[in-house]
C-alpha cells in the first residue's frame, strides 16, 4: 500500500521573501552564526520571483515525490497553485481552495467540486452574507484588497499593524455562529466555510489511492483538519497553530521557524516514508 504525504504549501514547504526568516521577536541570537541556506525559487509571478525553498528541501521533496503519493494541500486557487513548480515528478493529486477543488493530473475533478458545493449550500451561511459583513465592517484604512476565491470563500489583504484590537476575535465569533472559520496568515485574513476542509479532500485521495499510511504538515488554523485526518503530522514553530499551542495526537511541534522549518518537514516526511517502506 502506498504512503500518502499531504502538505500545506505557503509557510510550510514554500516561503515568500518576507516569510523566509519568521524569527520569533523574543528569540535569543544564536551562539554561532550559521551561513544562510541556499535557496531555490519555485514560483514566479509577473516576471518576479515569489516563493522559495532551500536547495536541500528541494532535493528531499524530489525524492519524496518519487517514493510516495505527494499531495500539495493549499488554500490557493487552482490558478495560483499551478504557478508553483515543485521539484520532482508533478503530483497526480492536489488539493486547492482549501478542499473546494481536487485536481487530478492538474485538472479539477468536477464531481468532487459538486459534492463540496452541495454540502456548503446546506451546512453554513451563504457566501454573500459573509462578504457583505466584511465589506461593511472592514475599514478601508487597513484593508488593501477584498477577494472572493472560486466562489467558495473570502479573504482580505490587510495591514496587520493597523488592525483594531479585538476585531479579528469579534469576526471569528460572528463567523463561527454561521458555520464559518477565520484564519489570519501574514497579511491575509481568510473567512472560510467550516465544512470546506483540506482534511476531507485528503481522505478522498487516500480512499482513491488505497494509502496505508497518511502523513501531513501545516502551520495555520485552516490546516488543523488536515492534521486531524492523517496518521502522523508535523507543524512548524511559527504560524497560527504554534501561536495558539494547538496540538493533537500524532502531531509533532517542530522548533524550526521559517524556511528551515520547511526543510525539516521535508526531511521528516522522507524519513517516515523510508521507514514505512
Amino acid at each position: 500500500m502506498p504512503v500518502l504525504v499531504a502538505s500545506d504549501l505557503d509557510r510550510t514547504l514554500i516561503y515568500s521573501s518576507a516569510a523566509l526568516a519568521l524569527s520569533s521577536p523574543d528569540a535569543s541570537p544564536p551562539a554561532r552564526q550559521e551561513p544562510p541556506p541556499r535557496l531555490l525559487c519555485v514560483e514566479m509571478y509577473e516576471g518576479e520571483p515569489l516563493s522559495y525553498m532551500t536547495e536541500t528541501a528541494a532535493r528531499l521533496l524530489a525524492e519524496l515525490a518519487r517514493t510516495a503519493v505527494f499531495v500539495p494541500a493549499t488554500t490557493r486557487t487552482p490558478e495560483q497553485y499551478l504557478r508553483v513548480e515543485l521539484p520532482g515528478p508533478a503530483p497526480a493529486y492536489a488539493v486547492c481552495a482549501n478542499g473546494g477543488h481536487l485536481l487530478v493530473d492538474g485538472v479539477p475533478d468536477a464531481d468532487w467540486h459538486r459534492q463540496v458545493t452541495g454540502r456548503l449550500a446546506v451546512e453554513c451561511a451563504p457566501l454573500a452574507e459573509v462578504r457583505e459583513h466584511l465589506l461593511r465592517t472592514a475599514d478601508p484604512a487597513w484593508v488593501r484588497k477584498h477577494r472572493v476565491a472560486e466562489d467558495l470563500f473570502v479573504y482580505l489583504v490587510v495591514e496587520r499593524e493597523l488592525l483594531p484590537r479585538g476585531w479579528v476575535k469579534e469576526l471569528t465569533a460572528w463567523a463561527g455562529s454561521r458555520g464559518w472559520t477565520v484564519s489570519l496568515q501574514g497579511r491575509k485574513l481568510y473567512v472560510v466555510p467550516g465544512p470546506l476542509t483540506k482534511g476531507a479532500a485528503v481522505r478522498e485521495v487516500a480512499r482513491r489511492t488505497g494509502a496505508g499510511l497518511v502523513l501531513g504538515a501545516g502551520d495555520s488554523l485552516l490546516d488543523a483538519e488536515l492534521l486531524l485526518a492523517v496518521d502522523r503530522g508535523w507543524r512548524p514553530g511559527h504560524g497560527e497553530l504554534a501561536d495558539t499551542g494547538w496540538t493533537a495526537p500524532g502531531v509533532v511541534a517542530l522548533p524550526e521557524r521559517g524556511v528551515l522549518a520547511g526543510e525539516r518537514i521535508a526531511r521528516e516526511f522522507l524519513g517516515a516514508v523510508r521507514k514505512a517502506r
Side-chain angles (χ1 to χ4, degrees), residues 123-137:
E123 295 183 21
C124 56
L127 172 67
E129 179 182 346
V130 175
R131 189 183 184 201
E132 189 279 331
H133 180 81
L134 286 173
L135 289 169
R136 179 164 44 83
T137 62

Side-chain angles (χ1 to χ4, degrees), residues 40-248:
L40 175 70
C41 178
V42 294
E43 180 184 14
M44 300 286 292
Y45 182 60
E46 295 182 346
E48 298 292 332
L50 185 60
S51 300
Y52 304 85
M53 60 196 321
T54 71
E55 289 187 349
T56 299
R59 175 178 55 78
L60 295 169
L61 187 60
E63 183 175 349
L64 179 72
R66 289 191 291 267
T67 56
V69 179
F70 175 61
V71 181
T74 179
T75 308
R76 288 174 175 240
T77 66
E79 180 182 5
Q80 293 167 337
Y81 160 70
L82 291 171
R83 293 199 307 251
V84 181
E85 296 185 8
L86 296 170
Y93 295 94
V95 175
C96 295
N98 214 63
H101 287 292
L102 178 58
L103 272 57
V104 182
D105 294 325
V107 179
D109 183 313
D111 287 339
W112 174 256
H113 184 63
R114 277 193 292 271
Q115 290 179 43
V116 171
T117 54
R119 286 188 62 197
L120 300 186
V122 299
E123 295 183 21
C124 56
L127 172 67
E129 179 182 346
V130 175
R131 189 183 184 201
E132 189 279 331
H133 180 81
L134 286 173
L135 289 169
R136 179 164 44 83
T137 62
D139 193 329
W142 41 265
V143 174
R144 296 296 169 257
K145 295 177 183 177
H146 285 260
R147 292 288 185 267
V148 175
E150 300 291 304
D151 289 325
L152 292 168
F153 62 88
V154 188
Y155 68 92
L156 308 178
V157 179
V158 302
E159 298 292 345
R160 284 190 66 146
E161 65 276 9
L162 299 179
L163 277 173
R165 185 184 299 274
W167 186 83
V168 174
K169 185 176 181 179
E170 292 173 4
L171 175 63
T172 300
W174 181 91
S177 68
R178 290 158 176 80
W180 289 63
T181 302
V182 175
S183 173
L184 181 60
Q185 305 174 35
R187 296 179 61 221
K188 290 184 177 179
L189 185 141
Y190 294 89
V191 189
V192 178
L196 186 69
T197 69
K198 299 176 184 179
V202 168
R203 290 187 187 97
E204 173 64 11
V205 177
R207 184 190 68 81
R208 295 187 187 191
T209 59
L213 175 68
V214 183
L215 311 175
D219 72 300
S220 81
L221 291 176
L222 295 179
D223 295 314
E225 285 292 331
L226 167 64
L227 292 173
L228 292 173
V230 303
D231 299 302
R232 293 182 60 192
W234 292 265
R235 66 165 174 82
H238 62 258
E240 287 179 303
L241 298 182
D243 293 343
T244 59
W246 185 93
T247 188

Side-chain angles (χ1 to χ4, degrees), residues 22-43:
L22 286 174
S23 57
S24 175
D26 57 355
S28 301
R32 183 170 64 88
Q33 197 72 24
E34 297 290 341
R38 291 174 59 88
L39 300 176
L40 175 70
C41 178
V42 294
E43 180 184 14

